[in-house]
Amino acid sequence: GAVVSQHPSWVICKSGTSVKIECRSLDFQATTMFWYRQFPKQSLMLMATSNEGSKATYEQGVEKDKFLINHASLTLSTLTVTSAHPEDSSFYICSASPYRITYNEQFFGPGTRLTVL
Amino acid sequence: QQPVQSPQAVILREGEDAVINCSSSKALYSVHWYRQKHGEAPVFLMILLKGGEQKGHEKISASFNEKKQQSSLYLTASQLSYSGTYFCGTDRGRGNKLVFGAGTILRVKS
């Protein structure tokens, strides 16, 4: 149980295009989903927290207009990188929690590697 | 504020033990431990809560010193499968966000 999927697993796009990444909780309802960004050999940096049916909460320094997050249902959250540039190339990982207050583990998706040319 | 992990890297032979530490300058509600293999998602290992409650796998043990805001992960009789990068994530109890440390690279050799 507690499986989280991400799609696509990797994507290569041209500079200026937009890319959508999906995160799904397959066997539980996720009241909260988190989006992280990870550069090579670095830690996981939280970008935003999304709760189903409400606006995402972005971390300081993360542009909400560039990284659009939608958590329309209890099993799906999407991250859209708008007008992507090479500096947006990274490993994007989502995680999901079945609890509104996370005193329990977060379940991570397999990640999406984005390369912007 | 990012927790500090030590050591940065460690190499073990199969069967040896290791301890990975995580410390914070802020009061914590819980500490979470994850292991990540290259190119894969982090995998949950353990949660330690303020007050002593723990939740995790049978073969993993850890401690949480609430006064010092420190946690240690104990890996005993290491196996090749233990290799990976270990991250601690700290939660100050404010809206369920985790802040992850820089990671500790563990390599187990046969």
Side-chain angles (χ1 to χ4, degrees), chain A residues 2-9 21-28 33 35 75-77 93-96 107-112, chain B residues 41:
Chain A
V3 178
V4 176
S5 70
Q6 272 186 248
H7 178 81
S9 55
I21 302 170
E22 292 185 349
C23 176
R24 292 181 185 272
S25 57
L26 298 185
D27 51 4
F28 67 97
M33 286 184 168
W35 286 95
T75 59
L76 173 65
S77 176
I93 308 177
C94 72
S95 71
F107 302 100
F108 283 85
T112 296

Short mmCIF file of all heavy atoms in Angstrom, two decimals, chain A residues 2-9 21-28 33 35 75-77 93-96 107-112, chain B residues 41:
data_model
loop_
_atom_site.label_atom_id
_atom_site.label_comp_id
_atom_site.label_asym_id
_atom_site.label_seq_id
_atom_site.Cartn_x
_atom_site.Cartn_y
_atom_site.Cartn_z
N ALA A 2 0.18 2.42 -0.06
CA ALA A 2 0.81 3.72 -0.02
C ALA A 2 1.76 3.94 -1.18
O ALA A 2 2.95 4.18 -1.00
CB ALA A 2 1.52 3.95 1.30
N VAL A 3 1.23 3.80 -2.38
CA VAL A 3 2.04 3.98 -3.59
C VAL A 3 1.71 5.32 -4.23
O VAL A 3 0.54 5.68 -4.39
CB VAL A 3 1.77 2.84 -4.60
CG1 VAL A 3 2.59 3.06 -5.87
CG2 VAL A 3 2.10 1.49 -3.97
N VAL A 4 2.77 6.02 -4.61
CA VAL A 4 2.62 7.30 -5.29
C VAL A 4 3.31 7.21 -6.65
O VAL A 4 4.45 6.75 -6.73
CB VAL A 4 3.24 8.45 -4.47
CG1 VAL A 4 3.16 9.76 -5.24
CG2 VAL A 4 2.53 8.57 -3.13
N SER A 5 2.61 7.60 -7.67
CA SER A 5 3.21 7.55 -9.02
C SER A 5 3.41 8.95 -9.55
O SER A 5 2.72 9.90 -9.12
CB SER A 5 2.32 6.75 -9.97
OG SER A 5 1.12 7.47 -10.25
N GLN A 6 4.34 9.09 -10.45
CA GLN A 6 4.58 10.36 -11.13
C GLN A 6 4.67 10.10 -12.62
O GLN A 6 5.18 9.08 -13.07
CB GLN A 6 5.90 11.00 -10.66
CG GLN A 6 5.76 11.87 -9.45
CD GLN A 6 7.04 12.59 -9.08
OE1 GLN A 6 7.65 12.30 -8.06
NE2 GLN A 6 7.44 13.56 -9.92
N HIS A 7 4.20 11.10 -13.36
CA HIS A 7 4.27 10.97 -14.81
C HIS A 7 4.51 12.34 -15.42
O HIS A 7 3.85 13.31 -15.02
CB HIS A 7 2.96 10.38 -15.37
CG HIS A 7 2.95 10.28 -16.86
ND1 HIS A 7 3.57 9.26 -17.54
CD2 HIS A 7 2.45 11.12 -17.80
CE1 HIS A 7 3.42 9.45 -18.83
NE2 HIS A 7 2.74 10.56 -19.03
N PRO A 8 5.46 12.49 -16.34
CA PRO A 8 6.32 11.42 -16.86
C PRO A 8 7.51 11.18 -15.94
O PRO A 8 7.72 11.92 -14.99
CB PRO A 8 6.78 12.01 -18.20
CG PRO A 8 6.84 13.49 -17.94
CD PRO A 8 5.69 13.78 -17.00
N SER A 9 8.26 10.15 -16.20
CA SER A 9 9.44 9.88 -15.39
C SER A 9 10.60 10.76 -15.86
O SER A 9 11.50 11.06 -15.07
CB SER A 9 9.83 8.40 -15.49
OG SER A 9 10.01 8.01 -16.83
N ILE A 21 3.70 18.01 -14.84
CA ILE A 21 4.08 16.77 -14.15
C ILE A 21 2.91 16.36 -13.25
O ILE A 21 2.39 17.18 -12.49
CB ILE A 21 5.35 16.97 -13.29
CG1 ILE A 21 6.52 17.44 -14.18
CG2 ILE A 21 5.72 15.68 -12.58
CD1 ILE A 21 7.73 17.89 -13.38
N GLU A 22 2.53 15.10 -13.35
CA GLU A 22 1.41 14.60 -12.54
C GLU A 22 1.92 13.74 -11.39
O GLU A 22 2.86 12.98 -11.52
CB GLU A 22 0.47 13.75 -13.39
CG GLU A 22 -0.29 14.51 -14.44
CD GLU A 22 -1.29 13.63 -15.17
OE1 GLU A 22 -1.24 12.40 -15.00
OE2 GLU A 22 -2.13 14.18 -15.91
N CYS A 23 1.24 13.87 -10.28
CA CYS A 23 1.54 13.07 -9.09
C CYS A 23 0.23 12.45 -8.62
O CYS A 23 -0.74 13.17 -8.35
CB CYS A 23 2.14 13.96 -8.01
SG CYS A 23 2.45 13.14 -6.43
N ARG A 24 0.22 11.13 -8.53
CA ARG A 24 -1.01 10.44 -8.13
C ARG A 24 -0.77 9.51 -6.94
O ARG A 24 0.24 8.80 -6.91
CB ARG A 24 -1.55 9.58 -9.28
CG ARG A 24 -2.06 10.36 -10.47
CD ARG A 24 -2.59 9.42 -11.56
NE ARG A 24 -2.97 10.17 -12.75
CZ ARG A 24 -4.17 10.69 -12.95
NH1 ARG A 24 -5.12 10.55 -12.02
NH2 ARG A 24 -4.43 11.36 -14.06
N SER A 25 -1.68 9.54 -6.00
CA SER A 25 -1.67 8.54 -4.93
C SER A 25 -2.58 7.42 -5.40
O SER A 25 -3.74 7.63 -5.70
CB SER A 25 -2.16 9.15 -3.61
OG SER A 25 -3.46 9.69 -3.75
N LEU A 26 -2.03 6.21 -5.49
CA LEU A 26 -2.74 5.12 -6.16
C LEU A 26 -3.67 4.36 -5.24
O LEU A 26 -4.68 3.81 -5.68
CB LEU A 26 -1.74 4.16 -6.79
CG LEU A 26 -0.85 4.76 -7.87
CD1 LEU A 26 0.03 3.68 -8.50
CD2 LEU A 26 -1.66 5.47 -8.93
N ASP A 27 -3.36 4.27 -3.97
CA ASP A 27 -4.18 3.43 -3.10
C ASP A 27 -4.57 4.12 -1.80
O ASP A 27 -4.93 3.46 -0.83
CB ASP A 27 -3.46 2.11 -2.80
CG ASP A 27 -2.04 2.33 -2.31
OD1 ASP A 27 -1.64 3.49 -2.13
OD2 ASP A 27 -1.33 1.33 -2.12
N PHE A 28 -4.50 5.44 -1.79
CA PHE A 28 -4.98 6.17 -0.63
C PHE A 28 -5.35 7.58 -1.06
O PHE A 28 -4.95 8.04 -2.13
CB PHE A 28 -3.94 6.21 0.50
CG PHE A 28 -2.69 6.99 0.18
CD1 PHE A 28 -2.55 8.31 0.60
CD2 PHE A 28 -1.65 6.41 -0.53
CE1 PHE A 28 -1.39 9.04 0.32
CE2 PHE A 28 -0.51 7.12 -0.82
CZ PHE A 28 -0.37 8.45 -0.40
N MET A 33 -0.24 17.08 -0.48
CA MET A 33 0.84 16.66 -1.35
C MET A 33 1.94 17.71 -1.32
O MET A 33 1.66 18.90 -1.15
CB MET A 33 0.34 16.43 -2.78
CG MET A 33 -0.47 15.15 -2.94
SD MET A 33 -0.94 14.87 -4.66
CE MET A 33 -1.54 13.19 -4.59
N TRP A 35 5.65 19.12 -3.15
CA TRP A 35 6.52 19.11 -4.33
C TRP A 35 7.91 19.55 -3.91
O TRP A 35 8.09 20.59 -3.26
CB TRP A 35 5.97 20.03 -5.42
CG TRP A 35 4.76 19.46 -6.10
CD1 TRP A 35 3.45 19.70 -5.81
CD2 TRP A 35 4.77 18.53 -7.18
NE1 TRP A 35 2.64 18.99 -6.65
CE2 TRP A 35 3.42 18.26 -7.50
CE3 TRP A 35 5.76 17.89 -7.92
CZ2 TRP A 35 3.04 17.38 -8.53
CZ3 TRP A 35 5.39 17.02 -8.93
CH2 TRP A 35 4.05 16.78 -9.23
N THR A 75 -6.53 12.42 -5.13
CA THR A 75 -5.52 11.49 -5.63
C THR A 75 -4.61 12.09 -6.69
O THR A 75 -3.73 11.40 -7.20
CB THR A 75 -6.19 10.22 -6.22
OG1 THR A 75 -7.05 10.62 -7.29
CG2 THR A 75 -6.98 9.47 -5.16
N LEU A 76 -4.80 13.35 -7.02
CA LEU A 76 -4.02 13.92 -8.10
C LEU A 76 -3.59 15.35 -7.80
O LEU A 76 -4.40 16.20 -7.44
CB LEU A 76 -4.81 13.91 -9.40
CG LEU A 76 -4.19 14.62 -10.61
CD1 LEU A 76 -2.90 13.91 -11.03
CD2 LEU A 76 -5.17 14.67 -11.78
N SER A 77 -2.29 15.58 -7.98
CA SER A 77 -1.76 16.94 -7.94
C SER A 77 -0.88 17.11 -9.16
O SER A 77 -0.21 16.17 -9.59
CB SER A 77 -0.94 17.19 -6.67
OG SER A 77 -0.35 18.48 -6.68
N ILE A 93 10.31 15.82 -7.38
CA ILE A 93 9.72 14.69 -6.66
C ILE A 93 8.49 15.17 -5.89
O ILE A 93 8.54 16.21 -5.24
CB ILE A 93 10.70 14.06 -5.65
CG1 ILE A 93 12.03 13.74 -6.31
CG2 ILE A 93 10.12 12.81 -5.03
CD1 ILE A 93 13.06 13.19 -5.32
N CYS A 94 7.44 14.39 -5.96
CA CYS A 94 6.27 14.72 -5.16
C CYS A 94 6.16 13.70 -4.02
O CYS A 94 6.71 12.60 -4.10
CB CYS A 94 5.00 14.71 -5.99
SG CYS A 94 4.45 13.07 -6.49
N SER A 95 5.50 14.10 -3.00
CA SER A 95 5.19 13.15 -1.94
C SER A 95 3.75 13.40 -1.49
O SER A 95 3.20 14.48 -1.73
CB SER A 95 6.14 13.27 -0.74
OG SER A 95 5.89 14.47 -0.03
N ALA A 96 3.17 12.41 -0.88
CA ALA A 96 1.78 12.53 -0.46
C ALA A 96 1.60 11.99 0.93
O ALA A 96 2.31 11.07 1.36
CB ALA A 96 0.88 11.76 -1.43
N PHE A 107 4.87 9.64 1.57
CA PHE A 107 5.16 8.62 0.56
C PHE A 107 5.60 9.33 -0.72
O PHE A 107 4.85 10.15 -1.26
CB PHE A 107 3.92 7.76 0.32
CG PHE A 107 3.43 7.09 1.57
CD1 PHE A 107 2.36 7.62 2.28
CD2 PHE A 107 4.05 5.95 2.04
CE1 PHE A 107 1.92 7.02 3.45
CE2 PHE A 107 3.60 5.34 3.21
CZ PHE A 107 2.54 5.88 3.91
N PHE A 108 6.79 9.00 -1.16
CA PHE A 108 7.36 9.72 -2.29
C PHE A 108 7.08 9.03 -3.61
O PHE A 108 7.06 7.79 -3.71
CB PHE A 108 8.88 9.84 -2.12
CG PHE A 108 9.28 10.90 -1.13
CD1 PHE A 108 9.35 10.63 0.22
CD2 PHE A 108 9.58 12.18 -1.57
CE1 PHE A 108 9.71 11.60 1.13
CE2 PHE A 108 9.95 13.16 -0.67
CZ PHE A 108 10.01 12.88 0.69
N GLY A 109 6.89 9.84 -4.64
CA GLY A 109 6.80 9.32 -5.99
C GLY A 109 8.21 9.05 -6.51
O GLY A 109 9.20 9.42 -5.88
N PRO A 110 8.30 8.42 -7.69
CA PRO A 110 9.61 8.05 -8.25
C PRO A 110 10.38 9.20 -8.85
O PRO A 110 11.54 9.05 -9.21
CB PRO A 110 9.25 7.00 -9.32
CG PRO A 110 7.86 7.36 -9.72
CD PRO A 110 7.19 7.88 -8.49
N GLY A 111 9.76 10.38 -8.96
CA GLY A 111 10.47 11.54 -9.46
C GLY A 111 10.34 11.72 -10.96
O GLY A 111 10.06 10.78 -11.71
N THR A 112 10.52 12.95 -11.39
CA THR A 112 10.51 13.31 -12.81
C THR A 112 11.77 14.13 -13.09
O THR A 112 12.00 15.15 -12.44
CB THR A 112 9.28 14.15 -13.17
OG1 THR A 112 8.09 13.37 -12.98
CG2 THR A 112 9.34 14.63 -14.62
N ALA B 41 13.27 7.46 -5.80
CA ALA B 41 12.58 8.25 -4.78
C ALA B 41 13.07 7.87 -3.38
O ALA B 41 13.50 6.74 -3.16
CB ALA B 41 11.08 8.03 -4.86
#
